[in-house]
Amino acid sequence: MRCGKVWWLACLVAIAGACSTAQAQSVASDHPGYRLLTTKAYLPSDFDQEVFDQLWQTWSDDDDRRAAENATLAERRRLTLARYGLYASEPLRAEDATVSFAQYARVPPADQQPAHTGWAMHCLVCHGGAVNGQYIPGLPNAHLDLQSFIEDVRATKLRLGKTLSHMDKGLTIVPLGSSVGTTNAVVFGKLLLGYRDAELKLVERRIPPSLPHHDMDAPAWWHLKRKQRMYIDGFAPKTARALMQFLLIPRNKAEHFRAWEGDYAQILAWIETIEPPKYPWPIDRGLAEQGRAAFNRVCAECHGTYGEEGNYPERCVSIDELGTDRVRFDALAGEGRQRYSESWFAQDAKVTTVVKPIGYVAPPLDGVWATAPYFHNGSVPTLWHVLRADQRPAVWKRSPTEYDQERVGLKVVEAGELPDAESSPPSRRRRWYNTEDLGKSAAGHRFPDALTEAEKRAVLEYLKTL
């Protein structure tokens, strides 16, 4: 069940090469919000160019490390980007002095030497991904392995005698994700806010809040324009301030957030200009039209209708009725949501904070073909599996490059249990998604059971058109 190492290396080179030429076209934006997000560092540097260029020396896979060692600098950088699910904002050339990241802002050092330029994370690490060889800002990053990346960054810094960053240190308290394509971002936000008062001033707190670590799949950003609230449980009002929660490291003071609010208003304005990508392959329009009728009968009550007169209800479905994994639902207690509702983040909101939500909000489905995997925890690899609850794989691994046009979603290898669980290094185990792990269940959402098999095929075709 395990991919051969030669095949895996070929995939790494392919995904980096396939995305690079399209990235410069797709990332380019004249919107000031996009420029602020991608060029202004609101956080300190996570690593410098020297660290990035030596990451390959930490790789435990002998063949991967040997391939990187024998590669040119430009090829090695492509391998490195692809290994962690990162993307360049422009094609890499052999003569490039630095890698230009799509998901990191440049932080020049005091001596202005490009070789030692630092890089600071921003939102597109999780909210910028690729499908069909195309990098798309706002698309969930289904190939991100942030945990392995920061682990290797930290190990490289220690070997080089360099200072550790807030991410390197935070990793000892909060894991960043246990599977490729998912992150533990909710817990990070909960922890950071726990050390601030209502006006975001730092407070001493000896006992940290409970930290029920669980992985989440990032939502598509083009859905935000259709919502009044944020997050899977819809508890937080949509505001520019809400986007700033992950800047709550101790270095950033309360006055920084007030100074940056205008920036994030422009960033939110840019996010709300993002359009969902169109399905790039042929669609059976007659079958899709049959699927529209079946979808409207069974699915539209929660997910809305589409077309010129479409309507999205932003409906929150009871966790018991929904039946999907509830770890995320239980992870934020009423006390945490209440703290948020009283904080600066929610003070300018037009709608109230929901302190006691009943479940999860059914998302819009615009561009749903591109946003695999599915459910809030990223536990279901294709829309075909979403429609067939009893056939969802227990353990699966995504392809770095391939798209499953038949099942509409990630091309995956399935397994009954986690292969080589004891002997594989952690970075390799993270390539497998295990639905038996805490917070990773693929159960629930059995509403498609009301469809016949023929209707499921038609609905699958219809979803390509959204």
Side-chain angles (χ1 to χ4, degrees):
M1 291 301 222
R2 187 168 64 190
C3 298
K5 289 184 177 180
V6 174
W7 178 89
W8 179 252
L9 284 170
C11 285
L12 290 179
V13 174
I15 191 171
C19 292
S20 61
T21 56
Q23 284 161 5
Q25 299 172 357
S26 62
V27 174
S29 173
D30 292 330
H31 197 288
Y34 175 81
R35 292 198 302 272
L36 284 166
L37 180 63
T38 56
T39 64
K40 184 173 179 178
Y42 299 93
L43 293 169
S45 169
D46 292 307
F47 57 91
D48 61 24
Q49 193 67 53
E50 182 183 19
V51 168
F52 180 84
D53 285 338
Q54 294 200 30
L55 289 176
W56 64 273
Q57 297 190 37
T58 67
W59 298 352
S60 57
D61 312 81
D62 291 340
D63 288 352
D64 292 6
R65 190 170 60 251
R66 189 176 302 110
E69 183 177 14
N70 295 328
T72 65
L73 178 60
E75 290 169 344
R76 187 183 302 140
R77 286 171 172 171
R78 292 188 188 100
L79 286 170
T80 304
L81 287 167
R83 183 182 184 89
Y84 303 112
L86 300 173
Y87 301 99
S89 59
E90 57 191 31
L92 298 181
R93 301 177 300 274
E95 65 271 20
D96 285 343
T98 62
V99 179
S100 182
F101 293 91
Q103 302 112 315
Y104 282 82
R106 187 188 298 264
V107 184
D111 59 9
Q112 300 296 311
Q113 294 299 311
H116 299 285
T117 296
W119 301 95
M121 183 186 300
H122 58 68
C123 304
L124 292 180
V125 167
C126 297
H127 294 277
V131 64
N132 190 34
Q134 177 78 23
Y135 177 78
I136 304 172
L139 176 71
N141 189 349
H143 299 286
L144 176 66
D145 187 359
L146 190 59
Q147 177 77 18
S148 296
F149 181 56
I150 299 302
E151 283 180 353
D152 291 351
V153 164
R154 182 174 62 184
T156 301
K157 287 180 181 177
L158 291 173
R159 181 174 60 82
L160 297 175
K162 299 202 172 195
T163 303
L164 298 182
S165 73
H166 66 287
M167 291 293 290
D168 306 320
K169 298 173 183 176
L171 194 61
T172 62
I173 303 172
V174 180
L176 301 177
S178 59
S179 296
V180 168
T182 60
T183 68
N184 191 23
V186 172
V187 169
F188 251 109
K190 180 179 180 180
L191 176 65
L192 293 172
L193 188 58
Y195 288 90
R196 302 278 179 152
D197 65 13
E199 296 302 320
L200 303 190
K201 295 180 180 179
L202 282 166
V203 296
E204 293 293 332
R205 182 170 177 165
R206 296 182 179 179
I207 302 176
S210 63
L211 302 175
H213 301 304
H214 59 284
D215 284 359
M216 293 285 292
D217 185 51
W221 264 1
W222 54 81
H223 291 163
L224 203 56
K225 68 168 71 73
R226 306 191 68 180
K227 295 183 173 185
Q228 294 187 71
R229 300 181 181 280
M230 297 171 57
Y231 305 123
I232 188 63
D233 58 6
F235 93 93
K238 178 181 69 176
T239 66
R241 293 181 181 185
L243 300 178
M244 304 171 72
Q245 292 177 73
F246 297 99
L247 306 181
L248 282 170
I249 62 170
R251 192 189 80 162
N252 290 340
K253 309 303 181 186
E255 53 268 27
H256 287 112
F257 289 85
R258 287 158 178 79
W260 293 336
E261 184 178 5
D263 290 2
Y264 273 81
Q266 295 194 72
I267 290 170
L268 177 58
W270 167 70
I271 291 173
E272 294 192 324
T273 70
I274 301 174
E275 294 294 328
K278 293 183 178 181
Y279 189 77
W281 297 286
I283 298 174
D284 184 331
R285 295 290 172 177
L287 184 60
E289 193 57 33
Q290 296 175 36
R292 179 196 296 271
F295 177 91
N296 287 345
R297 188 184 85 247
V298 175
C299 313
E301 180 181 354
C302 296
H303 291 288
T305 55
Y306 299 83
E308 291 184 2
E309 299 182 359
N311 176 63
Y312 172 62
E314 199 168 359
R315 181 184 174 193
C316 190
V317 183
S318 163
I319 190 68
D320 294 326
E321 180 184 1
L322 191 55
T324 53
D325 195 294
R326 63 177 296 136
V327 171
R328 165 63 178 83
F329 178 75
D330 296 327
L332 290 181
E335 185 272 336
R337 293 190 180 93
Q338 183 65 38
R339 173 184 290 274
Y340 181 89
S341 73
E342 296 169 353
S343 75
W344 179 83
F345 291 119
Q347 288 173 8
D348 70 337
K350 296 179 180 179
V351 296
T352 58
T353 302
V354 180
V355 177
K356 295 182 179 180
I358 63 170
Y360 297 145
V361 177
L365 299 181
D366 314 78
V368 68
W369 70 271
T371 63
Y374 301 101
F375 292 3
H376 69 280
N377 56 4
S379 59
V380 182
T382 73
L383 289 174
W384 188 93
H385 291 106
V386 170
L387 297 171
R388 296 166 177 83
D390 294 330
Q391 298 184 59
R392 296 168 189 162
V395 179
W396 52 272
K397 176 169 61 175
R398 68 202 73 202
S399 162
T401 57
E402 295 180 280
Y403 184 89
D404 192 332
Q405 295 181 47
E406 181 179 354
R407 294 189 171 187
V408 189
L410 299 176
K411 194 78 166 181
V412 298
V413 175
E414 299 182 16
E417 59 183 17
L418 192 65
D420 301 327
E422 299 299 326
S423 59
S424 295
S427 60
R428 181 171 293 174
R429 290 200 301 271
R430 292 184 193 114
R431 297 174 189 172
W432 291 94
Y433 192 105
N434 184 5
T435 61
E436 296 298 318
D437 287 346
L438 178 69
K440 292 180 175 291
S441 170
H445 192 273
R446 299 197 67 104
F447 308 112
D449 290 352
L451 299 167
T452 67
E453 186 59 31
E455 286 177 325
K456 289 178 183 178
R457 289 195 294 271
V459 167
L460 188 64
E461 199 70 13
Y462 173 62
L463 292 173
K464 299 175 184 177
T465 71
L466 303 184

